């Protein structure tokens, strides 16, 4: 293997793969390093949606609309980076389609706040199925443990509660038989084919321990005792730090006890970049989601594998309560998990933890329940089992049931947004609302989780790493969750993490190649 390349890219999720592909197609020699023994990182285990305003598969989505929408959502963010994303993502998506076997299709999936100025219902893309057999068995290639054979466009018409559940559809059965994959696994498959065709060299089990800095410029990497030169620069695309307990304790303002990503996100980019003089930003935030604990499920290395909460937040006949037995959030909101991190100002303790989803018998009949379930014949008995005030719980459920019957939630607005309704049960009278009144009753613990942290290397509009004075760190670039997020503090669109990764991977690949 060569000891010198034009460009070295760290990480093989969407950000790293697109950066490597872009740099190689620009004429650079590229080495792609993956720290683990599997490709694709968190991208490969995701639903694979790409949030891409202005993409070429749609119509009439203007730059002005996208900027208006994002500026209403990107609280306390650097506007030049918001503009850079909006300008880059359509070209980046088109580039990926041109340089890989991937084909994207539009999916009817609303923006989180589609009702705001500039919000839309058609900014999301998904990859058509891919055949990974030219690379190997998908079970060995990626971290995913679910069968990646179902398109999100097949899931949503049924209801988001079937996410991760094998579906009895002829199309799914055919893909399973042929070994074709969908979602994030398809996206990574197509990108791997693309980087191979572009001449990128790639290595597994190659965790970078330090950056080489020569004359103030990042000029290579160290993999243990081995040094590899990067004459044009290094791209950090190593993901977030949600599995690093020390970094979480130092940075996150909201506890993340049950990350749902593979146990490989250790925040390598933060230490590497900081030692090279780069600034970090937005380290207190994450792409927050609620999760349920499934005690019997593990990742291939034996680490606990937690599951995103879908049924217990979007479907009728459920509500969430905190330890006081009261509702505290719109359960179906895309950003409901942010409420799990709220602090009680009088006690300086979590206001809403522990949190419980309370379900009735009709919920159990219709929707899957994957987490730790506690069952009781009455609400009073359930309250005793989970340590919640029985009288307060009864009052909360009675109030909620009145709202559910009327199909309107004046307390929290559950079910008002197009996003919430799209994620609910399309067969129900109200997709997100239904009374909780038929026993036996069940409680499922809801835990604070994330699909990735948001804090990382502060970049300029070309993905160049910046120092604390706002000057570029020569030879250093960042993309994906290794960089400081452009959007925050919550989530403004499903698939925003991957759209962000593709856009900034493309920008990084272009910039590092000159």
């Amino acid at each position: 293997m060569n000891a010198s390349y034009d460009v070295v890219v760290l990480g093989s999720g969407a950000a790293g793969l697109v950066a490597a592909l872009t740099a190689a197609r620009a004429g650079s020699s590229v080495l792609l390093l993956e720290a683990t023994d599997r490709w694709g990182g968190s991208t490969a285990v995701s639903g694979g949606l790409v949030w891409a305003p202005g993409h070429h598969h749609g119509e009439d989505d203007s730059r002005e609309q996208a900027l208006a929408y994002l500026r209403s959502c990107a609280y306390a963010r650097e506007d030049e980076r918001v503009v850079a994303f909006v300008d880059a993502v359509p070209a980046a998506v088109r580039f990926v389609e041109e340089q890989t076997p991937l084909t994207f299709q539009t999916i009817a999936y609303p923006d989180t706040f589609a009702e705001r100025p500039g919000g839309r219902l058609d900014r999301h893309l998904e990859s058509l199925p891919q055949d990974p057999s030219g690379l190997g068995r998908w079970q060995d290639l990626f971290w995913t443990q679910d069968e990646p054979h179902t398109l999100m466009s097949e899931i949503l018409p049924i209801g988001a509660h079937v996410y991760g559940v094998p579906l009895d559809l002829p199309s799914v059965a055919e893909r399973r038989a042929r070994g074709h994959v969908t979602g994030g696994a398809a996206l990574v498959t197509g990108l791997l084919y693309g980087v191979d065709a572009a001449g990128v060299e790639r290595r597994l089990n190659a965790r970078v321990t330090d950056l080489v800095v020569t004359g103030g410029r990042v000029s290579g990497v160290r993999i243990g005792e081995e040094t590899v030169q990067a004459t044009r620069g290094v791209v950090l695309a190593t993901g977030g730090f949600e599995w690093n307990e020390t970094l979480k304790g130092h940075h996150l303002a909201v506890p993340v006890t049950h990350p749902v990503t593979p146990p490989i996100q250790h925040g390598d980019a933060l230490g590497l970049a900081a030692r090279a003089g780069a600034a970090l930003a937005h380290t207190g935030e994450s792409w927050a989601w609620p999760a349920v604990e499934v005690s019997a499920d593990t990742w291939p290395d034996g680490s606990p594998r937690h599951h995103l909460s879908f049924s217990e937040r979007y479907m009728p006949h459920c509500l969430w309560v905190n330890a006081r037995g009261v509702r505290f959030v719109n359960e179906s909101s895309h950003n409901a998990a942010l409420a799990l991190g709220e602090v009680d100002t009088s006690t300086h303790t979590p206001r809403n933890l522990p949190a419980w989803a309370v379900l009735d018998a009709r919920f159990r009949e219709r929707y899957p329940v994957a987490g730790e379930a506690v069952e009781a014949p009455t609400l009073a008995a359930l309250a005793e089992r989970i340590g919640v005030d029985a009288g307060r719980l009864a009052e909360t459920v009675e109030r909620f049931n009145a709202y559910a019957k009327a199909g309107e939630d004046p307390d929290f607005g559950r079910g008002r947004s197009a996003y919430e309704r799209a994620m609910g049960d399309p067969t129900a009278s109200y997709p997100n609302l239904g009374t909780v009144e038929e026993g036996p009753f069940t409680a499922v613990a809801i835990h604070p989780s994330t699909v990735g942290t948001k804090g990382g290397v502060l970049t300029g509009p070309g993905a160049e790493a910046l120092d604390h004075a706002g000057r570029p760190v020569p030879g250093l670039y960042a993309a994906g969750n290794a960089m400081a997020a452009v959007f925050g503090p919550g989530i403004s669109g499903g698939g925003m993490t991957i759209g962000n990764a593709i856009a900034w991977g493309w920008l990084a690949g272009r910039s590092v190649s000159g």
Side-chain angles (χ1 to χ4, degrees), residues 343-349 351:
V343 175
D344 189 316
T345 56
S346 60
T347 64
H348 212 236
T349 58
R351 185 190 303 274

Side-chain angles (χ1 to χ4, degrees), residues 313-398:
R313 60 184 297 202
Y314 293 124
M315 297 302 120
H317 308 299
C318 73
L319 74 158
W320 288 6
V321 297
N322 57 22
R324 294 179 292 120
V326 299
R327 284 182 77 205
F328 57 92
V329 71
N330 172 0
E331 300 90 341
S332 298
S333 163
H334 207 163
N335 292 286
L338 293 178
L340 299 175
E342 292 179 3
V343 175
D344 189 316
T345 56
S346 60
T347 64
H348 212 236
T349 58
R351 185 190 303 274
N352 298 315
L353 291 175
W356 299 90
V358 177
L359 329 168
D360 79 354
R362 289 166 299 173
F363 185 101
R364 296 300 300 271
E365 291 171 1
R366 301 179 189 183
Y367 314 117
V369 176
E372 314 148 282
V374 178
E375 189 172 301
T378 65
L379 282 173
L382 186 69
E384 182 177 0
R385 292 203 61 187
I386 62 175
V388 168
D389 181 87
R392 191 71 63 81
L393 178 62
E395 293 173 4
T396 296
V397 171
E398 182 179 6

Side-chain angles (χ1 to χ4, degrees), residues 476-499:
L476 188 61
Y477 305 83
N481 284 352
M483 65 179 275
V486 180
F487 320 108
I491 301 171
S492 310
M496 186 171 266
T497 50
I498 298 179

Side-chain angles (χ1 to χ4, degrees), residues 171-458:
S171 57
V172 175
E174 181 182 358
R175 291 178 207 129
R176 186 181 296 117
R178 299 174 67 181
H180 291 189
V181 295
T182 59
L187 181 60
V188 171
T189 296
L191 287 170
L192 285 172
Y193 282 130
V195 299
D196 287 352
V200 173
E201 291 192 38
R202 49 189 177 96
R203 288 174 57 182
L204 292 172
N205 298 308
R207 189 173 186 179
V208 170
T209 53
D210 211 350
L211 299 177
V212 177
V213 180
T214 306
R217 180 181 183 84
V218 174
S219 59
V221 301
R222 292 192 179 92
I223 309 166
E225 299 299 316
E226 179 187 1
T227 298
V228 178
Q229 289 185 317
T231 58
R232 291 184 175 173
V234 173
V235 179
L236 301 175
T238 56
F241 58 89
E242 59 269 21
W243 282 89
N244 186 316
E245 295 301 320
T246 299
L247 289 179
K248 286 195 297 183
H250 289 172
H251 293 286
L252 289 186
V254 175
V256 172
T257 57
H258 290 67
V260 296
T261 55
I264 57 176
Q265 312 292 357
H266 299 298
D268 289 2
L270 274 69
L272 294 171
R275 291 194 293 275
L280 307 178
H282 307 308
T283 56
E285 299 176 1
S286 78
W287 302 95
W289 268 78
V292 295
E293 184 173 308
V294 182
S295 57
D297 201 359
T298 60
W299 293 103
D301 70 347
S303 300
R305 180 172 178 257
H306 311 301
H307 290 226
L308 291 174
S309 172
F310 279 92
S311 298
E312 307 85 359
R313 60 184 297 202
Y314 293 124
M315 297 302 120
H317 308 299
C318 73
L319 74 158
W320 288 6
V321 297
N322 57 22
R324 294 179 292 120
V326 299
R327 284 182 77 205
F328 57 92
V329 71
N330 172 0
E331 300 90 341
S332 298
S333 163
H334 207 163
N335 292 286
L338 293 178
L340 299 175
E342 292 179 3
V343 175
D344 189 316
T345 56
S346 60
T347 64
H348 212 236
T349 58
R351 185 190 303 274
N352 298 315
L353 291 175
W356 299 90
V358 177
L359 329 168
D360 79 354
R362 289 166 299 173
F363 185 101
R364 296 300 300 271
E365 291 171 1
R366 301 179 189 183
Y367 314 117
V369 176
E372 314 148 282
V374 178
E375 189 172 301
T378 65
L379 282 173
L382 186 69
E384 182 177 0
R385 292 203 61 187
I386 62 175
V388 168
D389 181 87
R392 191 71 63 81
L393 178 62
E395 293 173 4
T396 296
V397 171
E398 182 179 6
R399 182 183 182 92
F400 177 81
N401 285 346
Y403 296 158
K405 290 175 183 177
E408 176 63 27
D409 175 21
D411 284 348
F412 296 101
R414 179 173 170 182
R416 288 179 186 168
S417 76
Y419 167 81
E420 293 165 42
R421 294 191 297 272
M423 299 296 283
D425 185 345
T427 68
S429 300
Y430 306 109
N432 310 104
L433 287 171
T435 60
V436 178
E437 56 186 348
E438 293 187 13
F441 298 91
T442 302
V444 176
I446 301 295
H447 301 284
S449 181
T450 184
V451 295
T453 51
K454 284 188 172 183
V457 184
L458 181 62

Side-chain angles (χ1 to χ4, degrees), residues 89-107:
V89 71
V93 167
R94 186 183 293 273
F95 171 82
V96 165
E97 278 197 327
E98 291 172 348
Q99 301 297 333
T100 73
L102 289 165
T103 300
F104 293 113
Q105 66 179 7
T106 304
I107 177 173

